[in-house]
């Protein structure tokens, strides 16, 4: 942090596009005897509110020109901001450059402008603020002497500082606001580069930008990462309004760990798929180990738990509807759980979960099914970026001789949704809207099928009559034969193998119904 100046603020420059709160703020500055300089639109607003203000054009002797492209870009402004008080006093005097001690700027709304699909390239370019970021960066650089405010939420803090410290803004505050200012301009330039880096010949943005710029904010540092010898932190995206782990509210319990966050994300994203009736997903090590939907949340939880009680121990439980007291009580009475997350909790739930003070209870708000985002995966030396896997199937094509029954069809669609959230190779056995066995993350599909069978056996669940979902096609008929032997009645899979004919033949030989979805759901 640079050495503090203890000079009171005498002069402020205010130039804002987002004018919320500015009138009150400026009025208070005036009452504190701060002289206010301001640009056209802001100056007019303040003058209309009877706040004494000097227009920047009068101050510099230069009119605002070129449709606002040049307003504050003048040595009298930038000298006043950048001058090192004590070091540059003589030169300031020589060129008649008074110091400007407080800069209040927010930028042309580039992000909002380009979020309109009809925005032209010309409009976008005119909304690239030049004078604003120049003042923001200059004052942030010279935070030893100057305070920069880019966030209307900081107006009260600044007034508090000026009032409490006889007109001085403390060094610590100036430094923090300077960091915020550089974050602000970095994000702003990142958005511009992302937008322009996507522009194709017709002047419209398309596809992926030539560089990847994003700004995530530190939400939490952790005691450790995936393992105790790894340092870790959680960064979140700005302005996130969707129901997700990044915006979830923790009502009680220990601090979320790295693995808690990853697993809660997996559980929540899986349960979000079930909209029509109460559903529960229990996740262990990023894979659903029990999923069910039912008439009540309690029944859904009970069925999900029964799939794999062994694995559910220490699991993460996600619900798609407000958590009620009966279900909360059942969880607390029955099992060790790391995290419980639901859109909201009913009255009394927090008191029940409080009996287990370490259990993390989170709410995430109502689900918005329409929200889409990009998925990122770090590889050494790079980042893989893709659309998130939002779709479910391309078709539901009955390829077997026998058509599935209504119940089989229902269970196959249920199992298919779950399989999307199981690490590949994924095999999900299901019956009556609940998982019967889940085989996850195996290097061969047949082994995932075997594991699903073993899981069902351990839980004492009956496989015969269940359906099977496979996240990708069966390369050989052996997977189908093994499933038939276990008593699987119907199979849902993408299809598309070179040996589809053999696979279908094996299903027909076993009297199984088989659906091709035409869409694969690998998850690595
Ligand atoms: N060109 C300049 O010298 C300049 N100086 C400040 N601005 C911006 O003008 C806006 C405020 O304009 P007004 O006060 O006229 O509403 C602010 O967002 C500020 O960042 C400028 N505009 C764009 O670059």
């Amino acid at each position: 942090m640079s050495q503090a100046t203890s000079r009171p603020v005498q002069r402020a420059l205010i130039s804002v596009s987002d004018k919320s709160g500015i009138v009150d703020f400026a009025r208070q500055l005036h009452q504190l005897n701060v002289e206010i300089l301001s640009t056209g639109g802001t100056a007019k607003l303040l003058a209309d509110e009877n706040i004494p203000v000097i227009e920047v054009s009068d101050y510099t002797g230069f009119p605002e020109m070129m449709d606002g492209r040049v307003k504050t870009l003048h040595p009298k402004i930038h000298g006043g901001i950048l001058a090192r008080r004590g070091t540059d006093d003589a030169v300031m005097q020589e060129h008649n450059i008074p110091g400007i001690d407080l800069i209040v700027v927010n930028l042309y709304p580039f992000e909002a402008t380009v979020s309109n699909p009809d925005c032209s390239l010309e409009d976008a370019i005119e909304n690239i603020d030049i004078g604003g970021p120049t003042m923001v960066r200059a004052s942030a650089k010279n935070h030893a002497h100057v305070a920069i405010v880019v966030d209307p939420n900081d107006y009260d803090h600044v007034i508090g500082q000026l009032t409490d410290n006889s007109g001085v803004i403390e060094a610590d505050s100036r430094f923090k606001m300077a960091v915020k200012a550089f974050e602000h301009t970095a994000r702003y330039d990142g958005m511009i580069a992302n937008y322009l880096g996507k522009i194709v010949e017709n002047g419209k943005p398309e596809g992926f930008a030539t560089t990847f710029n994003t700004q995530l904010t530190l939400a939490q540092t952790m005691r450790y990462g995936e393992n105790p010898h790894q340092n870790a932190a959680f960064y979140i995206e700005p302005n996130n309004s969707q129901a997700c782990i990044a915006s979830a509210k923790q009502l009680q319990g220990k601090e979320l760990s790295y693995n808690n966050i990853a697993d809660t994300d997996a559980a929540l994203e899986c349960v979000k798929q079930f909209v029509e009736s109460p559903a529960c997903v229990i996740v262990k090590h990023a894979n659903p180990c029990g999923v069910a939907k039912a008439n009540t949340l309690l029944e859904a939880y009970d069925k999900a738990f029964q799939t794999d009680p062994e694995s559910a121990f220490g699991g993460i439980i996600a619900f798609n509807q407000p958590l009620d007291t009966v279900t909360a009580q059942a969880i607390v009475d029955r099992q060790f759980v790391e995290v419980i997350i639901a859109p909201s909790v009913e009255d009394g739930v927090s008191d029940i979960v409080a009996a287990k003070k370490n259990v993390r209870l989170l709410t995430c708000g109502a689900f918005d099914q329409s929200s889409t985002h990009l998925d990122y995966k770090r590889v050494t030396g790079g980042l893989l970026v893709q659309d998130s896997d939002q779709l479910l199937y391309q078709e539901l094509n009955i390829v077997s001789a026998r058509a599935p029954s209504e119940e089989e069809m229902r269970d196959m669609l249920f199992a298919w949704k779950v399989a999307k959230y199981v690490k590949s190779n994924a095999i999900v056995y299901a019956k009556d809207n609940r998982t019967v066995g889940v085989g996850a993350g195996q290097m061969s599909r047949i082994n995932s099928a075997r594991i699903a069978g073993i899981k069902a056996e351990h839980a004492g669940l009956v496989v015969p009559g269940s359906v099977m979902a496979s996240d990708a096609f069966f390369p050989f008929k052996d997977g189908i034969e093994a499933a038939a032997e276990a008593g699987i009645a119907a199979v849902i899979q993408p299809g598309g193998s070179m040996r589809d004919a053999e696979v279908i033949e094996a299903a027909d030989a076993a009297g199984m119904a088989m659906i091709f979805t035409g869409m694969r759901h690998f998850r690595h």
Side-chain angles (χ1 to χ4, degrees), residues 13-19 38-44 64-65 68-74 78 105-109 126 128-133 135-136:
L13 190 153
I14 307 181
S15 179
V16 289
S17 281
D18 171 5
K19 296 186 167 59
S38 192
T39 46
T42 314
K44 181 172 182 327
E64 292 189 4
M65 57 178 78
R69 284 187 165 210
V70 179
K71 306 186 203 176
T72 53
L73 296 163
H74 190 282
H78 285 276
V105 171
N106 59 57
L107 310 177
Y108 286 174
E126 279 319 309
I128 297 175
D129 200 322
I130 300 299
M135 288 190 289
V136 171

Side-chain angles (χ1 to χ4, degrees), residues 268-280:
L268 184 59
E269 294 309 306
C270 182
V271 86
K272 274 186 191 175
Q273 299 180 100
F274 301 101
V275 277
E276 63 292 351
S277 50
C280 172

Side-chain angles (χ1 to χ4, degrees), residues 95-128:
H95 296 284
N96 185 24
I97 298 176
I100 307 175
D101 318 301
L102 173 64
I103 305 295
V104 184
V105 171
N106 59 57
L107 310 177
Y108 286 174
F110 181 81
E111 190 174 20
T113 304
V114 299
S115 70
N116 177 352
D118 297 329
C119 169
S120 65
L121 184 55
E122 291 70 32
D123 259 1
I125 285 175
E126 279 319 309
N127 273 283
I128 297 175

